[in-house]
C-alpha cells in the first residue's frame, strides 16, 4: 500500500513554475524563429536556402507549436492530478 501526501500550496507552486517555464519556452522559440528570419540578411545562397527550407519544413512547427503545446498539456495533466487528489481528500473527509 502506498501513502498519499499532498502539500497543496507546494504542489500548486510547482505547477505554477511549470507554467512559467512554458512561457519562457514559448518566448525562446519565438526568439529562435525571429533569428531564423533575420539570418536571411546575413546568409544567402543555396546552402542558406536549404537551411531555411529545412527549418520551415522540419523544425519550425515542432519548435514553435508541437513542443510548447505538449508541455502545456503535461502542465494541465499535472494540475488535474493535484486537483483530483485534493478534491478526493476533501470529499472523503466530509469537507
Amino acid at each position: 500500500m502506498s501513502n498519499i501526501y499532498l502539500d497543496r500550496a507546494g504542489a500548486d507552486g510547482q505547477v505554477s513554475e511549470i507554467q512559467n517555464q512554458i512561457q519562457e519556452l514559448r518566448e525562446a522559440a519565438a526568439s529562435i524563429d525571429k533569428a531564423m528570419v533575420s539570418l536571411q540578411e546575413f546568409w544567402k545562397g543555396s546552402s542558406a536556402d536549404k537551411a531555411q527550407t529545412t527549418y520551415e519544413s522540419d523544425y519550425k512547427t515542432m519548435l514553435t507549436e508541437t513542443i510548447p503545446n505538449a508541455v502545456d498539456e503535461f502542465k494541465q495533466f499535472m494540475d488535474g492530478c493535484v486537483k483530483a487528489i485534493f478534491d478526493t481528500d476533501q470529499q472523503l473527509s466530509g469537507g
Side-chain angles (χ1 to χ4, degrees):
M1 165 158 293
S2 63
N3 295 321
I4 295 176
Y5 166 78
L6 176 65
D7 174 344
R8 178 74 189 260
D12 284 344
Q14 292 307 302
V15 171
S16 179
E17 180 59 23
I18 292 169
Q19 184 61 45
N20 292 341
Q21 294 303 313
I22 291 168
Q23 184 58 37
E24 288 188 26
L25 177 64
R26 288 186 184 281
E27 290 169 5
S31 292
I32 292 168
D33 190 53
K34 184 177 176 183
M36 285 302 294
V37 171
S38 296
L39 184 60
Q40 296 176 67
E41 298 174 34
F42 307 103
W43 183 17
K44 302 206 182 288
S46 297
S47 60
D49 294 343
K50 177 66 176 176
Q52 290 294 328
T53 300
T54 300
Y55 171 70
E56 287 287 330
S57 65
D58 296 348
Y59 299 104
K60 182 176 181 169
T61 299
M62 179 176 46
L63 176 69
T64 62
E65 295 176 28
T66 306
I67 292 171
N69 290 344
V71 174
D72 189 50
E73 288 175 14
F74 174 68
K75 181 262 179 197
Q76 291 173 22
F77 168 77
M78 293 302 298
D79 195 34
C81 288
V82 170
K83 184 176 178 342
I85 291 168
F86 181 79
D87 290 349
T88 301
D89 187 58
Q90 289 296 306
Q91 289 172 357
L92 292 173
S93 71

